[in-house]
Amino acid sequence: DTAVSQTPKYLVTQMGNDKSIKCEQNLGHDTMYWYKQDSKKFLKIMFSYNNKELIINETVPNRFSPKSPDKAHLNLHINSLELGDSAVYFCASSQGRADPAGTDTQYFGPGTRLTVL
Amino acid sequence: GQNIDQPTEMTATEGAIVQINCTYQTSGFNGLFWYQQHAGEAPTFLSYNVLDGLEEKGRFSSFLSRSKGYSYLLLKELQMKDSASYLCAVRGYGQNFVFGPGTRLSVLP
């Protein structure tokens, strides 16, 4: 069974369009994240949610809006796509503060490669 | 500010030992992680250090010195499948994680 899943795996779209990426985790984790990995392979945190509440919102354009309908899902909606949004987007989850070991290891989804033309 | 440095690329021979260094300056420290990422795949967890010293896990070990803002990942008995990028990440305050640029390791026969 896939622990953290994302759809779609590939997304090719035109500039100016609006698109969504879905993420689901079946690990029972409390915390979920969205990361962006650009062409230079830098992995940067965008958002973090703990039990459906936003706890981290890095300097990300407000065209990006995360939505967490329940603690197992964290979707990412992007409005008015720009060329610079092309990247691989990774969803991740961790136990968060509930981790008894304290490591709070993150488990990553397979990534969504977004290409904006 | 937050800054994590790692060498960009390293090359080693199958069967050898390689050490990948990571230096960090972050606001707050609640642990340092190493992740492995094969090309086109997701990062996977390798190790975690929160106290100074060495953590050993099979062929992989990770060391931390908090006073020096320094960590390394040691890979022994290198195998071809170890060719990947190795990402150093620091957890700051709360659930904020900062990743380094990654070190691309090539293992040659």
Side-chain angles (χ1 to χ4, degrees), chain A residues 34-36 44-48 54-66 84-85 89, chain B residues 2 96-97:
Chain A
W34 274 110
Y35 285 89
K36 179 180 179 181
K44 285 188 181 170
I45 193 166
M46 300 172 70
F47 302 102
S48 173
L54 179 66
I55 55 172
I56 290 175
N57 182 356
E58 289 298 300
T59 310
V60 176
N62 58 14
R63 297 182 294 105
F64 290 78
S65 52
D85 298 333
Y89 291 83
Chain B
Q2 319 248 63
N96 196 359
F97 288 83

Side-chain angles (χ1 to χ4, degrees), chain A residues 12-89:
Chain A
V12 181
T13 188
Q14 299 284 338
M15 241 178 12
N17 284 349
D18 302 339
K19 289 293 177 187
S20 290
I21 307 173
K22 294 186 176 181
C23 178
E24 176 181 1
Q25 54 96 3
N26 62 8
L27 297 166
H29 286 165
D30 284 344
T31 306
M32 295 185 73
Y33 312 79
W34 274 110
Y35 285 89
K36 179 180 179 181
Q37 189 169 44
D38 59 25
S39 55
K40 293 183 179 174
K41 306 301 180 189
F42 239 115
L43 198 61
K44 285 188 181 170
I45 193 166
M46 300 172 70
F47 302 102
S48 173
Y49 268 73
N50 184 266
N51 257 320
K52 302 193 300 173
E53 278 188 39
L54 179 66
I55 55 172
I56 290 175
N57 182 356
E58 289 298 300
T59 310
V60 176
N62 58 14
R63 297 182 294 105
F64 290 78
S65 52
K67 292 266 188 318
S68 183
D70 55 62
K71 76 172 194 177
H73 295 84
L74 181 63
N75 303 323
L76 184 66
H77 188 75
I78 316 170
N79 287 331
S80 305
L81 277 156
E82 299 177 358
L83 294 176
D85 298 333
S86 295
V88 180
Y89 291 83

Side-chain angles (χ1 to χ4, degrees), chain A residues 37 56 102-104 106 109, chain B residues 33 35 37 42 91 95-97:
Chain A
Q37 189 169 44
I56 290 175
T103 55
D104 200 22
Q106 293 179 72
Chain B
F33 297 77
Y35 282 83
Q37 186 177 24
R91 182 171 64 203
Q95 304 302 115
N96 196 359
F97 288 83

